[in-house]
Amino acid sequence: MASAASSSSFSTRLLLHSPTTLLGRRRRRSNVLRMVTRSCLDDSSALLRAAQYTVDTYVKSGMVVGLGSGHASGMAIQHLGRQLRTGNLKDIVGTPMSISSASEAAKAGIPLDTYQDSSQIDLAFDDADVIEEGTLVGIIGRRKLQGEESIIQEKSILNASNKLVFIIEENQYKRGLEGSIPVLIQSINWMATAEEIDDMFLGDAEVWRRPSIGQAGPLGGNFPLVTREGHNVLDVIFTSPIVSLAEVAKSLNKVDGVVDHGVISKIPCTVVIASQKELNILDKLTADIVG
């Protein structure tokens, strides 16, 4: 990708490392991941059950709660509002991650506060696009950003929380992830940043600058998305399985011009997985030991 003209194809090849190559210097604990299966016999929505379980199990009176974005988070916000109205929970303050979650929380009657860098977040719940099996590393930000939504704000609240809970469906929990990772980049000299990502991943991946209107080619057309912080968004779309999402994130962090990305690795982390038959609850409590 030496010029804008050659950028029209804008495709890369993801370097497929074996687990030994990626993780050869890493010693893992006997897995600190636990699974609890809970029977769900009623006919209500599996995702609704997962959202209600999250609020009933992890939210306690007096907490400051990060309120996520997405369908499951919206149902959890509604249930949290009901619990406040009935008196089952008291003195809750919500910190919304987006305009949509703030609107949902306001309708539910949840007192709100604006996130600041010094904010104390006791618990945050959120949707995830996908969660990597075993590691509980997730991807957020694939959806189209609405209005003043910010991947940076969402990720900042998740990272600031003392405990994080993702609410997902079972088809969102998998190994060998494919699909896009959103990457926030500086808009000035954005193509140089994209070229470096191009060179770094030598495998089945495509790098597209996200448009603000409709569909566009790899360069993002005449109307590239500009976030509220003034950044462009690259969607790095992997079509071959990613062996280690954490390793991809580390590589992206080293690229000049990359501001942030949609990979989130938080400890402690809990994932509540909804299916029609049961809820699976997975916890990761400590990091792997790096030797």
Side-chain angles (χ1 to χ4, degrees):
M1 191 173 67
S3 67
S6 64
S7 296
S8 58
S9 61
F10 226 153
S11 63
T12 66
R13 304 285 304 172
L14 172 63
L15 181 60
L16 294 179
H17 298 279
S18 69
T20 301
T21 303
L22 282 174
L23 303 174
R25 290 176 296 175
R26 186 181 297 268
R27 292 183 289 109
R28 297 187 177 276
R29 289 185 192 275
S30 54
N31 214 337
V32 291
L33 200 63
R34 71 175 177 88
M35 179 177 287
V36 180
T37 300
R38 297 181 181 273
S39 177
C40 299
L41 302 178
D42 59 272
D43 296 328
S44 62
S45 161
L47 203 57
L48 175 60
R49 293 195 297 267
Q52 292 174 340
Y53 173 87
T54 297
V55 172
D56 293 341
T57 303
Y58 302 109
V59 179
K60 309 299 180 185
S61 293
M63 278 187 168
V64 177
V65 181
L67 307 175
S69 298
H71 186 46
S73 294
M75 291 188 289
I77 290 170
Q78 293 171 12
H79 185 61
L80 177 56
R82 287 192 294 270
Q83 295 297 83
L84 282 170
R85 291 194 296 274
T86 59
N88 291 328
L89 289 171
K90 297 179 181 179
D91 302 323
I92 296 294
V93 175
T95 303
M97 300 182 198
S98 67
I99 296 295
S100 60
S101 58
S103 175
E104 197 69 56
K107 289 187 290 185
I110 301 172
L112 297 178
D113 193 12
T114 303
Y115 175 74
Q116 307 291 336
D117 289 341
S118 59
S119 296
Q120 173 81 23
I121 310 292
D122 298 301
L123 169 77
F125 58 76
D126 199 8
D127 290 47
D129 297 307
V130 289
I131 298 289
E132 186 175 58
E133 182 180 331
T135 67
L136 303 195
V137 178
I139 298 175
I140 62 171
R142 286 181 175 177
R143 68 183 182 278
K144 182 177 180 180
L145 299 180
Q146 304 291 333
E148 290 293 302
E149 286 189 327
S150 168
I151 295 174
I152 290 178
Q153 175 171 310
E154 182 176 0
K155 191 171 176 181
S156 295
I157 292 173
L158 296 177
N159 281 326
S161 63
N162 292 334
K163 182 175 178 62
L164 167 60
V165 182
F166 280 121
I167 312 167
I168 63 171
E169 296 180 276
E170 58 184 340
N171 63 357
Q172 296 173 290
Y173 181 69
K174 59 186 71 174
R175 186 177 298 276
L177 301 181
E178 297 179 359
S180 64
I181 297 176
V183 181
L184 296 165
I185 62 170
Q186 295 173 2
S187 56
I188 298 176
N189 297 324
W190 74 270
M191 193 177 290
T193 303
E195 286 176 346
E196 187 169 348
I197 295 174
D198 234 6
D199 294 337
M200 181 174 58
F201 296 118
L202 304 175
D204 294 324
E206 296 180 351
V207 180
W208 291 59
R209 187 166 62 153
R210 189 178 296 188
S212 60
I213 302 173
Q215 302 294 321
L219 299 183
N222 295 324
F223 302 99
L225 177 67
V226 179
T227 70
R228 76 182 194 191
E229 297 91 359
H231 305 129
N232 287 163
V233 179
L234 294 180
D235 287 307
V236 182
I237 306 167
F238 295 104
T239 56
S240 291
I242 299 171
V243 175
S244 170
L245 192 53
E247 294 296 331
V248 171
K250 288 179 183 178
S251 297
L252 289 171
N253 289 337
K254 297 175 182 177
V255 177
D256 288 340
V258 169
V259 178
D260 210 335
H261 48 72
V263 179
I264 175 76
S265 178
K266 171 72 176 176
I267 297 170
C269 177
T270 295
V271 179
V272 178
I273 305 174
S275 71
Q276 290 301 317
K277 294 182 179 180
E278 60 194 15
L279 295 183
N280 290 327
I281 297 87
L282 291 79
D283 292 318
K284 188 155 192 184
L285 305 176
T286 62
D288 297 327
I289 302 173
V290 178

